[in-house]
Amino acid sequence: MMKAKWLLALPAAVLTCGIVLVACGGGSGGDSHEAHAHNGEKWELKASYAELPAFLGNFTDRTKHLYSIVGDYEAIMKTVHCYCGCMEYEDDAHDSLYRCYVASKSGEGVTWTDHSALCGMCTDELADIEKWSKEGKSADEINQLIEEHYNPNYNA
């Protein structure tokens, strides 16, 4: 009698697993470059910095411009703290302002994240990096200015 119950439950379990796999994209054979959610962020893999993520279609020209210059300011962005609170996340804490725009970069391409597109502080920080760079400020000077302007605990 006990075996019969298990035999009846087995097809339901297999069907449920199949539905979950299809819903999550495992076995769909879909494009791995499509946007997908990760810890509340939307991630999208593109071949290079020159190819911006599709999720930017819903954002302002300013936001699109800032994403378009990430490759130009990658080095400085990796040394700058972000003060929106993302560096304090328990799951997937950001290590720099760069992480607010790019989740990862590899031989496969650039995995963009929409974190910065949704955060005014992140966009303001990169806009200031661009402005100060164009004014001829060094990386050290820019880091100092970011601290002065954005760090709530900064004491001059």
Side-chain angles (χ1 to χ4, degrees):
M1 184 77 158
M2 189 63 131
K3 280 186 180 179
K5 286 182 182 178
W6 278 106
L7 289 174
L8 291 173
L10 186 60
V14 170
L15 178 61
T16 300
C17 288
I19 290 170
V20 169
L21 275 173
V22 169
C24 294
S28 66
D31 182 3
S32 65
H33 294 246
E34 292 177 8
H36 65 279
H38 180 81
N39 287 339
E41 295 180 355
K42 187 179 287 184
W43 287 12
E44 193 172 331
L45 177 64
K46 295 295 182 180
S48 69
Y49 289 126
E51 189 179 354
L52 295 177
F55 63 71
L56 287 178
N58 298 325
F59 291 94
T60 65
D61 288 342
R62 178 182 188 257
T63 300
K64 292 172 190 172
H65 167 73
L66 292 169
Y67 272 80
S68 76
I69 65 171
V70 167
D72 298 334
Y73 298 103
E74 175 183 359
I76 184 88
M77 291 173 71
K78 286 181 174 180
T79 68
V80 170
H81 282 78
C82 180
Y83 288 101
C84 77
C86 64
M87 295 182 83
E88 306 301 322
Y89 288 170
E90 286 186 28
D91 295 329
D92 198 18
H94 294 186
D95 59 356
S96 67
L97 179 63
Y98 179 76
R99 172 57 183 81
C100 299
Y101 288 84
V102 176
S104 66
K105 182 180 162 194
S106 68
E108 218 181 317
V110 175
T111 301
W112 296 100
T113 173
D114 71 343
H115 174 90
S116 183
L118 301 168
C119 180
M121 185 166 291
C122 298
T123 55
D124 286 349
E125 282 191 38
L126 182 52
D128 282 340
I129 288 171
E130 179 184 34
K131 178 182 92 171
W132 293 326
S133 292
K134 287 180 176 180
E135 290 173 358
K137 304 271 191 255
S138 70
D140 288 339
E141 290 172 318
I142 291 171
N143 258 300
Q144 182 61 38
L145 288 165
I146 291 289
E147 289 297 307
E148 290 172 16
H149 285 83
Y150 294 98
N151 184 346
N153 300 314
Y154 179 78
N155 293 317

